[in-house]
Amino acid sequence: MLDELTFFTRVLSIVGDILKVRAKNIGLGDLAVVENWDGDRSLAQVIEIQEDEVSLQVFTGGKGLSTEARVQFLGHASQVTYSENVLGRVFDGAGEPIDGGPLLGGDPRVEIGGPSVNPVMRIVPKRMIETKIPMIDVFNCLVESQKIPIFSVAGEPYNQLLARIGIQANAEIVIFGGMGLVFDDYHFFRSTFEEEGVSARTVMFVNQASDPIVERMLVPDMALKVAERFAVEQKKRVLVLLTDMTAYADALKEIGVSMERVPATRGYMGDLYSQLALRYERACDYRGAGSVTILSVTTMPGDDVTHPVPDNTGYITEGQLYLHDAMIDPFGSLSRLKQQVIGKATREDHGQLMNTMIRFYSGAKDAEKKQAMAFDLSPFDFQLLKFGGLFRSRFMDINVSLGLTDALDLGWRTLAECFGPDELLMKQELIDKYYRPVTLPDESDGQAQ
């Protein structure tokens, strides 16, 4: 710990929000207080050290800073408050309460960051987090300790989807991290959690678009550190929701450009993969404790999946969910851990039903193409078309809310409304147990009610 009275005044340069000063015995990530010539103070964080040249990112920005400014290092990295008192609270990107509630100055604080979990403390995932969203629960299960992004484009309701998951998921604690949010989005998440009565089990860390960009880089670390403490010390099943990781990557790029680093693909820094992996790898199912599961949003500029952020993310995470036209795409989406729970933690018919419905929906897409090109359609093609319409309205619509058991039952009913038992090509014992013929009130009617 450095002497509280030690100030460094040898400011070398101020470029944008980056201040360089000569100092020794400083650690990467350490916090500092920058005092301007007029007495104004701001927090800053050490982001680079080259011999005795220390670069700091000033939280409030470099505008108005003088080379006569003084820098006082605090001797520790960024910290976040961790106690049961953080539940139901909203914090900014610096970890300070912004909900009008009492200050938590007397509560314990822990340093953010640090190494990821020791591999020997990890166990093989075997439990499912039910979200009550059929396209996730039935077709791409969210498994405890999984790290999985929602790939989307601007304009899609990904924040609404993320909020619904936070409300409906059967996790014990939900940690929300918002990066670069406009006020409307911040207000939406906060009011939704409060109105749905789940705020008592949530913790929110929010960096708004008008807040300092350095705080945007701290939000995932604070959210994940608090989640880790709840999982390890209180054995809680914690779900971490992050939006938007592309805004986080853009903050890394902006700071890298300010520091005159050589960029890599499309202006992003060469360590983008490492920076993303360092955060995602904190997802873990702890031996003898709880778990941390990460569900994030990654927006794709121009709907380009080869963009550096989604491209690097795909190599790190265990699948992805594609959000298109307010629906989760069943073909582009993937959960690499779903086999750990399907038919084991879920009902015996889950796997067969999932595969059969996707097979028929694929056939429905082909039938739609034939219909669009004015080809003659067979009676089976019309069955597929009917199934495709029902599948989209009953399962793909992200506004549908169904428990897993109800969704599986609805799947069997949908198959029965469109196909006979001999057309399913499923195990006979499952057909005998779950298939129930449906008598429609009017066979000429378009869709069954």
Side-chain angles (χ1 to χ4, degrees):
M1 181 71 69
L2 296 180
D3 191 325
E4 292 183 356
L5 300 179
T6 302
F7 285 90
F8 294 86
T9 58
R10 298 185 64 184
V11 175
L12 302 177
S13 66
I14 302 172
V15 179
D17 300 339
I18 308 299
L19 180 147
K20 288 188 177 182
V21 64
R22 289 199 186 279
K24 293 182 179 180
N25 302 320
I26 306 301
L28 189 64
D30 280 0
L31 287 179
V33 175
V34 178
E35 182 179 316
N36 206 3
W37 64 272
D38 57 0
D40 285 346
R41 291 187 165 204
S42 172
L43 277 177
Q45 185 180 35
V46 177
I47 56 176
E48 186 178 62
I49 301 174
Q50 292 185 354
E51 297 182 352
D52 63 344
E53 288 189 9
V54 180
S55 298
L56 301 103
Q57 173 81 16
V58 183
F59 281 33
T60 57
K63 185 176 181 180
L65 270 183
S66 167
T67 53
E68 297 179 4
R70 305 192 306 169
V71 178
Q72 179 187 15
F73 291 94
L74 303 182
H76 61 77
S78 295
Q79 297 178 329
V80 62
T81 302
Y82 164 70
S83 71
E84 290 192 358
N85 294 329
V86 302
L87 291 173
R89 301 299 303 275
V90 184
F91 302 89
D92 63 14
E96 298 299 326
I98 57 172
D99 55 2
L103 299 177
L104 301 176
D107 288 42
R109 298 177 67 86
V110 293
E111 287 195 5
I112 66 175
S116 57
V117 182
N118 187 334
V120 301
M121 295 303 297
R122 297 176 183 264
I123 62 175
V124 177
K126 58 183 181 298
R127 294 175 294 186
M128 174 182 168
I129 294 181
E130 187 175 349
T131 65
K132 296 185 179 179
I133 295 178
M135 286 307 297
I136 297 178
D137 292 345
V138 178
F139 301 98
N140 287 289
C141 303
L142 181 62
V143 182
E144 280 193 35
S145 82
Q146 190 167 13
K147 44 189 180 290
I148 188 167
I150 299 171
F151 286 170
S152 182
V153 296
E156 291 287 348
Y158 51 82
N159 282 335
Q160 288 80 355
L161 175 61
L162 206 64
R164 283 194 56 220
I165 293 173
I167 294 166
Q168 298 176 175
N170 63 342
E172 294 176 299
I173 293 178
V174 175
I175 311 291
F176 173 80
M179 291 156 279
L181 297 181
V182 298
F183 178 80
D184 287 350
D185 287 337
Y186 157 60
H187 182 266
F188 165 75
F189 278 106
R190 181 174 175 180
S191 60
T192 300
F193 289 154
E194 291 175 351
E195 291 168 3
E196 296 295 331
V198 299
S199 59
R201 64 180 178 95
T202 64
V203 185
M204 297 182 65
F205 295 94
V206 178
N207 165 260
Q208 297 186 57
S210 57
D211 292 337
I213 193 170
V214 67
E215 294 182 6
R216 198 165 304 166
M217 298 167 55
L218 299 178
V219 165
D221 291 333
M222 289 191 294
L224 291 167
K225 177 57 69 172
V226 171
E228 179 185 283
R229 292 298 90 203
F230 273 115
V232 172
E233 297 182 10
Q234 300 192 28
K235 301 182 179 181
K236 299 293 187 180
R237 301 164 64 239
V238 186
L239 176 62
V240 179
L241 306 176
L242 300 174
T243 180
D244 164 11
M245 291 302 287
T246 302
Y248 169 79
D250 288 342
L252 292 175
K253 177 171 72 173
E254 184 171 332
I255 289 177
V257 170
S258 299
M259 298 179 63
E260 300 181 351
R261 292 180 179 171
V262 178
T265 308
R266 302 196 195 182
Y268 290 90
M269 299 300 109
D271 65 344
L272 176 62
Y273 178 93
S274 299
Q275 294 289 351
L276 293 174
L278 187 63
R279 276 79 196 172
Y280 280 117
E281 286 302 323
R282 293 192 177 276
C284 179
D285 199 344
Y286 295 91
R287 187 184 305 278
S291 64
V292 174
T293 307
I294 301 175
L295 181 63
S296 65
V297 169
T298 297
T299 51
M300 302 182 293
D303 201 13
D304 181 10
V305 73
T306 67
H307 183 276
V309 182
D311 186 40
N312 280 279
T313 301
Y315 287 103
I316 300 166
T317 54
E318 293 138 351
Q320 66 281 323
L321 303 172
Y322 277 96
L323 186 63
H324 290 300
D325 302 321
M327 296 182 181
I328 297 177
D329 186 350
F331 301 125
S333 301
L334 170 67
S335 171
R336 294 191 178 96
L337 297 185
K338 65 184 177 183
Q339 302 304 330
Q340 298 293 117
V341 298
I342 289 181
K344 301 172 184 177
T346 64
R347 215 165 68 181
E348 60 180 342
D349 61 320
H350 188 168
Q352 285 258 310
L353 182 64
M354 170 189 71
N355 292 330
T356 301
M357 294 183 74
I358 290 297
R359 170 163 52 85
F360 281 134
Y361 184 65
S362 177
K365 297 290 287 185
D366 291 338
E368 289 170 1
K369 292 178 183 178
K370 292 168 63 177
Q371 187 181 48
M373 293 184 288
F375 284 105
D376 289 336
L377 300 180
S378 67
F380 189 69
D381 286 330
F382 284 108
Q383 290 175 255
L384 290 170
L385 289 173
K386 178 180 178 181
F387 176 82
L390 292 175
F391 185 80
R392 275 188 287 268
S393 63
R394 292 178 177 180
F395 294 91
M396 291 182 65
D397 187 344
I398 63 172
N399 293 313
V400 173
S401 178
L402 281 174
L404 177 59
T405 300
D406 291 337
L408 294 176
D409 290 341
L410 182 60
W412 281 104
R413 177 186 169 188
T414 304
L415 291 176
E417 290 177 8
C418 302
F419 307 102
D422 56 332
E423 296 173 308
L424 299 183
L425 303 180
M426 298 172 68
K427 290 182 178 180
Q428 190 61 44
E429 57 265 31
L430 294 179
I431 294 177
D432 294 341
K433 185 174 181 179
Y434 295 104
Y435 183 90
R436 298 289 182 270
V438 175
T439 302
L440 300 180
D442 184 357
E443 294 293 341
S444 63
D445 207 7
Q447 290 186 354
Q449 298 298 318

